[in-house]
Amino acid sequence: MQFQIECNSLKNNQMCLICEQLFQAREARLIVCSEKGDGYGDVCPECIGRGAHWIKTQLQQFSSKFSA
C-alpha cells in the first residue's frame, strides 16, 4: 500500500478507511492506494493525528481482511 496526497477543491463528506467515521474533507486529502495506484479510501484528520506507526498497524489489519 502507498499514500497519495491530493489537493481537494470539493468540501464533501468522506468516510475514513480506518475508523469508518464520516468527516468533511479539507484542503488536502490523504488517500490509501494499492501499488498500482487504485484508491482504497481516505484517512480522516483524527486518524492521521495518531501517527504513522498507528496508521501502519491499522492498514496491516485492513490488508489482512482482504487477503484472508
Side-chain angles (χ1 to χ4, degrees):
M1 285 188 209
Q2 55 189 357
F3 295 110
Q4 182 175 333
I5 299 173
E6 292 184 357
C7 291
N8 183 34
S9 60
L10 302 174
K11 302 294 182 199
N12 54 353
N13 288 329
Q14 299 287 334
M15 181 173 288
C16 179
L17 179 66
I18 296 174
C19 69
E20 298 181 344
Q21 297 296 315
L22 284 177
F23 68 98
Q24 185 167 353
R26 297 190 180 154
E27 293 82 20
R29 295 172 58 197
L30 176 64
I31 305 165
V32 178
C33 300
S34 71
E35 297 298 322
K36 296 179 182 178
D38 299 323
Y40 291 126
D42 289 55
V43 180
C44 73
E46 288 79 19
C47 287
I48 293 170
R50 292 178 179 238
H53 181 60
W54 184 84
I55 291 173
K56 178 182 175 185
T57 302
Q58 300 304 309
L59 291 176
Q60 286 171 338
Q61 293 174 4
F62 171 78
S63 179
S64 68
K65 290 179 188 178
F66 290 99
S67 60

